[in-house]
Amino acid sequence: PAVFPLSCAVQSYSWGKVGLASEVAKLLASSDPLVQIQPDQPYAELWMGAHPRGDAIIRDNRIPQKTLGQWIADNPACLGAKVKDTFHGHLPFLFKVLSVNTALSIQAHPNKELAAKLHAQFPQHYPDTNHKPEMAIALTPFEGLCGFRPVEEIVSFLQTVPELRALIGEVAAEQLERSGSDDPRGVSSALRVCFTRLMKSEKKFFVDQLNMLVKRISQEAAEGKDTSGTNGDLLLRLHSQYPGDIGCFTIYFLNLVRLEPGEAMFLGANEPHAYLHGDCVECMACSDNTVRAGLTPKFIDVLTLCEMLNYTPAPASSKIFPAVQSQLDPSVYLYDPPVPDFAIMRIEIPPSIKLYLVSAVDSASILLVIQGTATGTSTAAASEMTLRRGSVLFISANESISLHLSSPDGMLLFRACCLL
């Protein structure tokens, strides 16, 4: 068999949504009725792939290999010829579902050149030499911080949030205020100075300033005043999750991006970001390299982060990555980021269609069912497969699947692959 169902690893990181509030838990529960969902445990991530720390288990007793990683190692042709050669016999992506309850760390991922350097210097913190571009597609309304805001927004906060200005210092703040849009390099360098001064400020000093700010905004909110000019709601929310954390101040530098279901954001190398709340599917290159600098109890590397970031300001709207409807199949919307490692298809099968062909692509792919039920048949599968919410299938390169839909309201599927 070259098409088979998978049972996928769950990560219970503390920031995840708890029990059946989590999309990850809901998908698990509907895919396998025998799974017991613990009401007080976070279900943060579902890992669909062959990552050594969460290798998917093959649900087909005719296949001798236990995990997807083992099976790909023994059958590298399943990747597709180009993918196999380009990525040296490995699946080049990891596909995930995330259910975010509290903020993830302020982070960025290195490009390949920096990854190699960091891995050589600090292998305990940077475990591999690969880059880690990633894309998130919202399943429920989703919020994250992403990329630097337009300068005029940051300048406006410097003028309405005296605590922020105190941390950055008058010289750096004035430099940013004076930087003109006709000189993008000057803007970026002023932004770099401001952000680095913030992130490297003395712990006791920034905790005092943060407490002053939180106290002032709490009082304003209690009096029913509008605190949107100082991003009050978000500040209080992050401070309640990570009290005394420098990351709370980054909301004045980074865009707040809100995605509706089906909208995506792509995070290339050196793009500062932090997911805040909601459920999404995510795909990324296979790497664990993350440079963190706030909203986290984990190892933080402020110097590396401030050095590597892309300091190009841009509006929040520019961070939404468009899906393109397929010319060949109107049910397919393709999210094809500017990296070779992965692409994602959103497949929306309308209720009127009862037989649907998941077409062959020249790459191994992983298919996730979000809504609907069907029976799947494939010449490459040992027997017919039941697909329901939460089902995950591995599809070898150049194999197709016929879906016989049994749900009245169509289906929603996501498929990760590599389109070289």
Side-chain angles (χ1 to χ4, degrees), residues 258-279:
R258 290 193 167 92
L259 302 178
E260 290 304 313
E263 289 186 322
M265 57 179 154
F266 171 68
L267 303 160
N270 306 329
E271 183 84 286
H273 61 279
Y275 296 155
L276 298 178
H277 193 265
D279 307 274

Side-chain angles (χ1 to χ4, degrees), residues 31-54:
S31 70
D32 183 354
L34 298 175
V35 169
Q36 291 278 305
I37 300 298
Q38 305 299 321
D40 49 0
Q41 182 187 320
Y43 290 80
E45 300 193 1
L46 181 70
W47 284 22
M48 302 170 282
H51 191 288
R53 287 194 302 142

Side-chain angles (χ1 to χ4, degrees), residues 214-279:
V214 165
K215 186 176 172 189
R216 184 164 59 84
I217 289 183
S218 303
Q219 281 171 344
E220 288 175 8
E223 292 162 15
K225 288 185 185 159
D226 176 21
T227 61
S228 60
T230 51
N231 223 341
D233 288 353
L234 183 55
L235 180 84
L236 296 181
R237 196 168 99 201
L238 289 182
H239 186 261
S240 71
Q241 295 172 13
Y242 297 95
D245 191 298
I246 191 69
C248 295
F249 279 107
T250 61
I251 62 173
Y252 299 118
F253 280 94
L254 304 180
N255 285 301
L256 176 59
V257 179
R258 290 193 167 92
L259 302 178
E260 290 304 313
E263 289 186 322
M265 57 179 154
F266 171 68
L267 303 160
N270 306 329
E271 183 84 286
H273 61 279
Y275 296 155
L276 298 178
H277 193 265
D279 307 274

Side-chain angles (χ1 to χ4, degrees), residues 12-147:
S12 48
Y13 307 134
S14 59
W15 49 259
K17 291 188 182 181
V18 173
L20 282 169
S22 161
E23 185 71 17
V24 170
K26 289 179 197 164
L27 291 168
L28 271 182
S30 52
S31 70
D32 183 354
L34 298 175
V35 169
Q36 291 278 305
I37 300 298
Q38 305 299 321
D40 49 0
Q41 182 187 320
Y43 290 80
E45 300 193 1
L46 181 70
W47 284 22
M48 302 170 282
H51 191 288
R53 287 194 302 142
D55 200 354
I57 294 180
I58 295 174
R59 297 276 297 272
D60 184 331
N61 48 23
R62 283 153 295 216
I63 296 177
Q65 293 86 351
K66 285 277 177 285
T67 71
L68 182 59
Q70 293 165 351
W71 193 84
I72 292 172
D74 293 342
N75 301 276
C78 76
L79 295 169
K82 282 188 200 157
V83 175
K84 180 186 128 190
D85 290 349
T86 306
F87 295 100
H88 314 294
H90 294 283
L91 188 69
F93 59 81
L94 178 59
F95 196 25
K96 296 182 177 184
V97 177
L98 272 63
S99 287
V100 181
N101 185 41
T102 56
L104 280 67
S105 54
I106 305 288
Q107 54 181 246
H109 306 295
N111 59 23
K112 285 188 173 171
E113 189 186 4
L114 178 60
K117 200 174 99 179
L118 290 172
H119 176 68
Q121 290 175 316
F122 312 106
Q124 70 281 25
H125 297 306
Y126 302 107
D128 56 80
T129 60
N130 202 11
H131 67 166
K132 194 188 173 193
E134 48 194 20
M135 175 178 276
I137 306 175
L139 292 172
T140 59
F142 192 80
E143 283 184 315
L145 299 172
C146 175

Side-chain angles (χ1 to χ4, degrees), residues 242-319:
Y242 297 95
D245 191 298
I246 191 69
C248 295
F249 279 107
T250 61
I251 62 173
Y252 299 118
F253 280 94
L254 304 180
N255 285 301
L256 176 59
V257 179
R258 290 193 167 92
L259 302 178
E260 290 304 313
E263 289 186 322
M265 57 179 154
F266 171 68
L267 303 160
N270 306 329
E271 183 84 286
H273 61 279
Y275 296 155
L276 298 178
H277 193 265
D279 307 274
C280 67
V281 292
E282 186 185 58
C283 199
M284 60 183 59
C286 272
S287 165
D288 285 323
N289 287 325
T290 299
V291 184
R292 296 183 180 84
L295 302 182
T296 178
K298 293 184 185 173
F299 172 74
I300 64 174
D301 190 346
V302 172
L303 274 172
T304 301
L305 188 87
C306 290
E307 275 297 301
M308 70 189 273
L309 290 183
N310 167 17
Y311 288 99
T312 309
S317 57
S318 70
K319 300 297 167 189

Side-chain angles (χ1 to χ4, degrees), residues 103-230:
L104 280 67
S105 54
I106 305 288
Q107 54 181 246
H109 306 295
N111 59 23
K112 285 188 173 171
E113 189 186 4
L114 178 60
K117 200 174 99 179
L118 290 172
H119 176 68
Q121 290 175 316
F122 312 106
Q124 70 281 25
H125 297 306
Y126 302 107
D128 56 80
T129 60
N130 202 11
H131 67 166
K132 194 188 173 193
E134 48 194 20
M135 175 178 276
I137 306 175
L139 292 172
T140 59
F142 192 80
E143 283 184 315
L145 299 172
C146 175
F148 283 97
R149 293 172 176 272
V151 172
E152 51 276 21
E153 294 181 19
I154 300 172
V155 164
S156 144
F157 287 130
L158 284 172
Q159 289 161 0
T160 54
V161 184
E163 297 83 355
L164 177 68
R165 199 175 182 99
L167 287 176
I168 282 162
E170 204 49 46
V171 177
E174 283 176 16
Q175 191 191 345
L176 188 66
E177 286 165 341
R178 282 198 308 267
S179 69
S181 51
D182 51 342
D183 176 18
R185 286 179 65 178
V187 169
S188 292
S189 103
L191 197 48
R192 172 192 291 264
V193 170
C194 286
F195 190 73
T196 305
R197 294 219 30 155
L198 169 71
M199 297 310 287
K200 288 170 74 177
S201 48
E202 195 58 52
K203 172 101 180 162
K204 184 180 181 327
F205 185 47
F206 83 66
V207 170
D208 287 349
Q209 294 296 326
L210 182 58
N211 288 339
M212 275 160 56
L213 175 60
V214 165
K215 186 176 172 189
R216 184 164 59 84
I217 289 183
S218 303
Q219 281 171 344
E220 288 175 8
E223 292 162 15
K225 288 185 185 159
D226 176 21
T227 61
S228 60
T230 51

